Amino acid sequence: MHISAFPHELAHRAATVLGTRLEASIILGERGFAVRAGSSTDAAGRCDRAESLADDGPCVDAIEKRTVQVVPVIAETAGWEAWREQSLREGFVSALAVPASVNADIAVAINLYSRTPDPWTNELVTAADGYAQLAASMVKLHLKLADFEDATAGLYHQMSDLSATERAVGAIMHANDCTALEARRILESASRNRNVSQREVAETILRTLVMSEPSPGDDSSI
């Protein structure tokens, strides 16, 4: 199994098309947890990593409230301490977070970072929303494929609780570039906040972030 490359590719495309001075990152979230899914640059990725580990920031708020979060001046923003400090450390001046719903529980948000003051025109926000909706659509398709695979091969049903949890920890570590301890804290926090088992949270993460490796007999050239 491997992490889907789509969020990284979409983040790169969004940053390139929306503005040469913009950097982008995508967060996947559900009530109780947020995981960085892809970034156009290391700097943007480190900001979203700080946000997801703290479960606090504009993308997290955008996902929870399903509303656009505009941050005209990062240095003057109250709250979001870990994210704000990391963003300033990276040299970002302004930011924008645009959410899109995958389903009733899961959403994505695209974080756009700028090194110039408040470039967020109505046209740019509308364009960013288009990329957020595209990300949500792809996650929705990813979920459908995971459900189909599970129905036909029993991929997730056959996993033990320990196996599902350990795979989810690995996926979080890879996506967030964090330690195993930090990844486990995300799982534990999500389980506690949602009042569900860690197995259920783990499956959500695996179904949305991870794709199966082709079987040895598959021929991708066909």
Side-chain angles (χ1 to χ4, degrees):
M1 303 180 81
H2 62 92
I3 301 296
S4 170
F6 172 76
H8 281 286
E9 295 169 358
L10 183 63
H12 277 281
R13 179 64 61 88
T16 300
V17 173
L18 295 177
T20 56
R21 295 189 175 184
L22 296 180
E23 298 172 42
S25 203
I26 295 173
I27 278 184
L28 170 73
E30 189 176 9
R31 182 171 58 85
F33 80 88
V35 179
R36 181 182 70 92
S39 306
S40 68
T41 64
D42 290 340
R46 285 190 291 267
C47 292
D48 275 23
R49 174 182 180 273
E51 180 174 8
S52 63
L53 291 176
D55 195 28
D56 185 43
C59 249
V60 171
D61 277 13
I63 286 171
E64 291 183 349
K65 299 175 182 177
R66 298 296 203 271
T67 58
V68 174
Q69 301 290 315
V70 181
V71 189
V73 183
I74 293 174
E76 297 177 0
T77 301
W80 302 337
E81 183 176 351
W83 172 84
R84 184 184 70 246
E85 289 182 359
Q86 186 65 48
S87 298
L88 293 175
R89 193 175 298 121
E90 301 293 347
F92 294 122
V93 175
S94 185
L96 173 76
V98 181
S101 296
V102 175
N103 56 36
D105 299 316
I106 301 171
V108 298
I110 183 168
N111 253 343
L112 294 177
Y113 295 94
S114 174
R115 299 182 188 277
T116 59
D118 198 14
W120 316 119
T121 63
N122 290 336
E123 291 78 12
L124 197 154
V125 173
T126 299
D129 179 70
Y131 278 99
Q133 297 296 334
L134 178 58
S137 295
M138 292 305 297
V139 172
K140 190 179 299 184
L141 176 60
H142 201 159
L143 283 169
K144 288 182 179 179
L145 291 174
D147 288 342
F148 175 76
E149 187 172 36
D150 199 20
T152 56
L155 177 63
Y156 296 99
H157 287 308
Q158 291 176 9
M159 283 186 191
S160 67
D161 290 352
L162 178 61
S163 177
T165 299
E166 290 305 307
R167 285 173 181 251
V169 166
I172 295 170
M173 289 173 64
H174 181 91
N176 271 18
D177 189 24
C178 65
T179 65
L181 179 59
E182 289 170 327
R184 292 184 193 282
R185 285 175 180 167
I186 289 175
L187 271 180
E188 291 168 1
S189 175
S191 174
R192 183 172 58 255
N193 291 339
R194 293 175 55 208
N195 195 30
V196 298
S197 68
Q198 288 190 36
R199 164 61 183 256
E200 186 172 333
V201 177
E203 276 203 32
T204 297
I205 291 170
L206 291 174
R207 289 173 186 270
T208 52
L209 281 181
V210 177
M211 298 188 72
S212 299
E213 297 283 8
S215 64
D218 289 345
D219 187 346
S220 58
S221 65
I222 296 178

